[in-house]
Amino acid sequence: MILKVYTSLLLLFLINSVWTRTMRQAYDDLDPEHWSHYTSECPQECFCPPSFPNALYCDNKGLKEIPAIPARIWYLYLQNNLIETLSEKSFENATHLRWINLNKNKITNNGIESGVLSKFKRLLYLFLEDNELEEVPAPLPVGLEQLRLARNKISRIPEGVFSNLENLTMLDLHQNSLLDSALQSDTFQGLNNLMQLNIAKNALKKMPLSIPANTLQLFLDNNSIEVIPENYFSAIPKVTFLRLNYNKLSDDGIPPNGFNVSSILDLQLSHNQLTKIPPINAHLEHLHLDHNKIKNVNGTQICPVSIAQEEDYGYYGNMPRLRYLRLDGNEIQPPIPLDIMICFRLLQAVVI
C-alpha cells in the first residue's frame, strides 16, 4: 500500500515537472515581437497571458462595460464585475469565441443588445449565472454545448428559444423563479442531445412536461412537487440520475411502479413525506430516502426480486444491484433488518 502511494506521488511529481517545464519553455520561447503585439492589443483593464494567447482575463476588475475583445480570443473571462450590458461593439472583432464567462455581474435582459449573442457562431460555453435576468435570453448561439443560467430571476422561457440548440448537452436553470406555467409541452423542443437538465430550486408543483428523450441527469430538488404522473419516465428512457430531494412527495403521489425504472441508477428522494419505501428496480445502485416519515423497513416487500428467484439467478442474473441505502432522519430503529441484507447482497453502506 505504501509503495503504491509513493509511486503515485512520484508520478504526480514527474507530470507536474514536465508540465511546468513545458509551460515555462513556451513562455521563454515566445518571440519578443509577438509579445509586443499581444501586449499592445490587450485591453488595459485585462490580463493577456503570453503563454495562452487565445485567453483574455478581465475578471474581478470592477468593470462596468466590456472592453473591445481582440480577434484572436477564444476564452473570455469576465466574471465578478459590475457589467450591465452586452453590446455588439465590444465583440465586433471577436468572431472566434468558444467560451464566455459572465457570472456574477448585473446583466439584465434589457441590457443585452438585440441579436448580439446569436452572432457568436463558434461559441460552445456560455456562463451567465448570478445576474439579473428575468427570462432566458434570445436568440442564442446555435452551436452551444453548455448554457448556465443559475441564480438569476428567470420566470419566463420565450417560445422556441431552445429549438435550434441541437448540440446543447447541459442546461442549468436552477435557483430561478420558474412556475409550472413557464414550462410548456414544447419548451425543450429541439434539445435532442441534452444530457443534463437542472431545474432545482424553482417554484414547480408538477413534474415538467416533455423532458428531452436523451436526458441522463434530471435535477428537480427544492421545488414543491407532489405527484409523479403515471409512466412519466417512459418518455425519458435513458434517465440515470434523478434528484427529487426537498419536495412534497407522499406515498399517494407516487404510482405503484413510478420509480421501478431500469435506467435509474441513482435515486434521491430525501426530505419528502414518504412513509414507506416505493418499489424500486433491480438495477438501482444508490437510494437516498433520509428525512422522510418511514417507520419500518421490510426487506421482503421492497426486494425487487423474490429471494428464491435471486438464488436461481445468482450473481449473473437479475440480482439487485443496490450498493448504497440512506434511511437516517426517519423513524426507523436499528438494527438493520436481516432480510435487507439477504435481498441486497451487494450493499456496501447503509445509513440508518
Side-chain angles (χ1 to χ4, degrees):
M1 180 64 183
I2 295 175
L3 180 59
K4 289 183 179 179
V5 172
Y6 283 141
T7 303
S8 299
L9 289 174
L10 178 59
L11 181 59
L12 182 61
F13 173 77
L14 291 173
I15 292 173
N16 286 336
S17 298
V18 171
W19 183 88
T20 303
R21 187 164 56 251
T22 302
M23 298 317 301
R24 183 181 296 119
Q25 183 178 0
Y27 182 88
D28 292 340
D29 291 349
L30 189 68
D31 191 313
E33 182 179 342
H34 290 169
W35 173 290
S36 175
H37 171 68
Y38 293 142
T39 303
S40 63
E41 194 184 33
C42 184
Q44 62 179 3
E45 309 96 326
C46 308
F47 172 58
C48 299
S51 53
F52 298 98
N54 297 122
L56 179 62
Y57 292 85
C58 306
D59 52 309
N60 297 286
K61 301 294 184 181
L63 299 180
K64 294 185 178 181
E65 296 181 353
I66 299 175
I69 308 302
R72 72 174 190 276
I73 298 304
W74 287 19
Y75 307 100
L76 178 58
Y77 299 88
L78 288 160
Q79 66 270 27
N80 294 301
N81 281 295
L82 303 171
I83 298 168
E84 298 180 357
T85 60
L86 301 181
S87 66
E88 186 175 344
K89 182 180 179 181
S90 299
F91 299 101
E92 59 184 356
N93 294 321
T95 58
H96 297 281
L97 285 170
R98 305 292 202 276
W99 172 302
I100 300 178
N101 189 334
L102 280 158
N103 291 345
K104 294 187 177 180
N105 279 282
K106 297 182 179 297
I107 299 168
T108 63
N109 289 93
N110 290 334
I112 302 177
E113 187 176 324
S114 178
V116 64
L117 293 176
S118 63
K119 293 184 181 298
F120 302 137
K121 303 298 184 182
R122 303 184 184 187
L123 196 67
L124 303 178
Y125 300 88
L126 178 58
F127 300 168
L128 279 165
E129 298 178 342
D130 296 284
N131 277 280
E132 304 291 332
L133 299 173
E134 295 183 353
E135 64 179 55
V136 175
L140 290 163
V142 295
L144 275 185
E145 294 182 3
Q146 287 193 17
L147 177 59
R148 299 176 184 247
L149 298 168
R151 295 178 297 278
N152 277 274
K153 301 175 181 178
I154 296 172
S155 61
R156 181 173 175 271
I157 301 178
E159 184 177 357
V161 68
F162 302 128
S163 59
N164 294 321
L165 304 187
E166 293 187 359
N167 295 328
L168 198 72
T169 60
M170 177 186 179
L171 175 58
D172 191 345
L173 288 162
H174 90 270
Q175 201 166 332
N176 277 285
S177 303
L178 292 170
L179 300 170
D180 295 318
S181 58
L183 304 180
Q184 300 299 314
S185 58
D186 60 350
T187 295
F188 301 112
Q189 185 175 347
L191 299 180
N192 299 326
N193 289 296
L194 194 71
M195 292 190 289
Q196 184 185 109
L197 177 60
N198 191 342
I199 325 178
K201 293 188 178 182
N202 277 279
L204 304 180
K205 293 184 178 180
K206 300 178 181 179
M207 295 292 285
L209 301 171
S210 301
I211 300 297
N214 285 321
T215 303
L216 298 176
Q217 301 177 341
L218 179 58
F219 303 149
L220 292 164
D221 314 76
N222 292 88
N223 281 285
S224 298
I225 297 170
E226 299 179 354
V227 176
I228 306 295
E230 189 83 33
N231 299 320
Y232 180 84
F233 299 106
S234 62
I236 43 176
K238 298 181 181 180
V239 64
T240 304
F241 300 91
L242 177 62
R243 291 196 335 215
L244 280 159
N245 303 319
Y246 291 95
N247 276 282
K248 296 183 179 179
L249 289 171
S250 63
D251 301 329
D252 294 336
I254 301 176
N257 284 296
F259 295 120
N260 186 2
V261 180
S262 61
S263 65
I264 299 178
L265 302 182
D266 190 299
L267 176 60
Q268 300 190 19
L269 298 168
S270 304
H271 294 271
N272 278 279
Q273 300 170 11
L274 302 175
T275 64
K276 59 184 179 181
I277 298 178
I280 59 175
N281 193 271
H283 291 89
L284 188 67
E285 296 183 3
H286 295 83
L287 178 59
H288 298 246
L289 285 165
D290 55 287
H291 298 90
N292 277 274
K293 300 179 180 180
I294 301 170
K295 294 184 178 180
N296 56 69
V297 181
N298 187 318
T300 302
Q301 290 180 356
I302 69 170
C303 193
V305 298
S306 69
I307 301 300
Q309 183 182 6
E310 188 175 342
E311 291 288 351
D312 291 339
Y313 281 115
Y315 283 94
Y316 303 101
N318 200 32
M319 174 177 284
R321 301 177 187 176
L322 195 67
R323 288 170 167 78
Y324 180 88
L325 175 61
R326 184 170 178 183
L327 291 166
D328 56 305
N330 285 283
E331 300 175 30
I332 304 168
Q333 298 297 321
I336 300 167
L338 181 60
D339 51 4
I340 290 285
M341 308 309 295
I342 293 175
C343 172
F344 302 107
R345 302 185 186 185
L346 300 180
L347 264 177
Q348 297 174 354
V350 180
V351 183
I352 192 168

